[in-house]
Amino acid sequence: MISSYLKQAQLSANPALISTELEKLDLHLANTALPDVCWEYQIPELGEGGACNLFGYLQDEPFKLTDYIKSDEQTQFKLANLHSIVSYIEQQTGVDWYGIYQSTNTPEGKQLLKLAYHGAPSRPLFPLTQAFAAGSNNVQVALSHKGRIINNVEAYLSQGGEYYTCDPKVKSETCLPLFNAQNECVGIVDAEAFKNDFFDEKTLAVLIACCIKIPHFLV
């Protein structure tokens, strides 16, 4: 399971450390009361071209997950587990922003839908198109199925790396794919930190362990 994930996502990481973190995550999920589900959340106004957030400017109406997914008991259970995983990530890593996205069919085409997150308000949907991938790590990872770890955004940009800067406070970012039992990419997670070299071996092991577990709770 772990080796398969690392091979698919083309990541180099410590399998033994990931296995330990996966056991710890299982214990957390088994022994922690499920939190309330957030069915709607505030989202920012988008900048020119709709690619990035205008920080400090929130849309009047909250984004409603019920416009895209069913509000039934099974979905509530799955979302509650995703919220629990988000809280676990925050507690274990201290990451400044973390979100779980699922590939979802919408009237505007297939998009990444943000199901649960921790941190500042951010856009809820990312179009899964090659054009949008040019300015979005999330979409690049979803389409390529390859994880991306950037531990120094400034250096990455100076070397000509493709990166759309939304929040200048972000110094490190990791985007990782999510795979179902058929090895299809069904979503991504995105983690951001306000300091360089944040994603060390231990932090990545926690994130990858969660990536292995999260597909069980996608809706």
Side-chain angles (χ1 to χ4, degrees):
M1 180 168 47
I2 294 171
S3 59
S4 174
Y5 179 86
L6 294 176
K7 181 178 181 180
Q8 286 180 267
Q10 297 189 25
L11 294 170
S12 177
N14 186 329
L17 193 54
I18 297 168
S19 179
T20 298
E21 294 301 331
L22 194 53
E23 290 176 4
K24 290 166 62 177
L25 175 61
D26 284 336
L27 284 173
H28 166 80
L29 292 173
N31 298 307
T32 305
L34 289 177
D36 293 334
V37 170
C38 180
W39 287 98
E40 57 184 54
Y41 47 79
Q42 293 297 127
I43 58 174
E45 296 285 356
L46 298 180
E48 185 177 353
C52 206
N53 307 334
L54 291 178
F55 285 92
Y57 296 90
L58 296 178
Q59 295 186 21
D60 293 333
E61 293 295 321
F63 180 82
K64 298 178 180 178
L65 282 174
T66 49
D67 289 341
Y68 296 88
I69 59 177
K70 293 181 180 179
S71 177
D72 57 23
E73 186 176 347
Q74 183 181 30
T75 300
Q76 176 146 330
F77 173 77
K78 290 182 175 181
L79 284 178
N81 276 279
L82 293 182
H83 282 291
S84 185
I85 291 173
V86 169
S87 295
Y88 181 80
I89 286 285
E90 179 189 1
Q91 294 163 10
Q92 293 295 311
T93 70
V95 72
D96 294 290
W97 201 97
Y98 178 80
I100 298 172
Y101 298 79
Q102 176 174 300
S103 298
T104 305
N105 291 317
T106 77
E108 293 75 31
K110 200 166 190 178
Q111 302 193 67
L112 288 173
L113 170 67
K114 186 174 66 179
L115 296 178
Y117 75 102
H118 153 74
S122 63
R123 67 177 301 135
L125 292 163
F126 287 85
L128 283 169
T129 65
Q130 291 293 343
F132 206 87
S136 168
N137 280 328
N138 290 353
V139 177
Q140 287 177 18
V141 169
L143 294 181
S144 70
H145 307 175
K146 300 175 184 177
R148 298 190 75 186
I149 302 165
I150 303 172
N151 261 322
N152 189 318
V153 171
E154 185 178 0
Y156 183 78
L157 286 170
S158 68
Q159 295 165 6
E162 296 177 348
Y163 189 87
Y164 200 105
T165 302
C166 280
D167 185 349
K169 296 192 297 296
V170 175
K171 304 298 182 183
S172 302
E173 180 173 7
T174 289
C175 291
L176 301 174
L178 301 170
F179 301 110
N180 64 13
Q182 291 71 46
N183 296 327
E184 299 165 329
C185 184
V186 290
I188 62 102
V189 301
D190 183 27
E192 299 174 349
F194 297 160
K195 65 178 183 179
N196 290 329
D197 302 315
F198 182 85
F199 297 103
D200 56 17
E201 186 179 53
K202 170 68 161 58
T203 301
L204 285 172
V206 176
L207 294 176
I208 292 169
C210 290
C211 284
I212 292 171
K213 182 63 63 173
I214 286 170
H216 298 288
F217 302 115
L218 293 180
V219 301

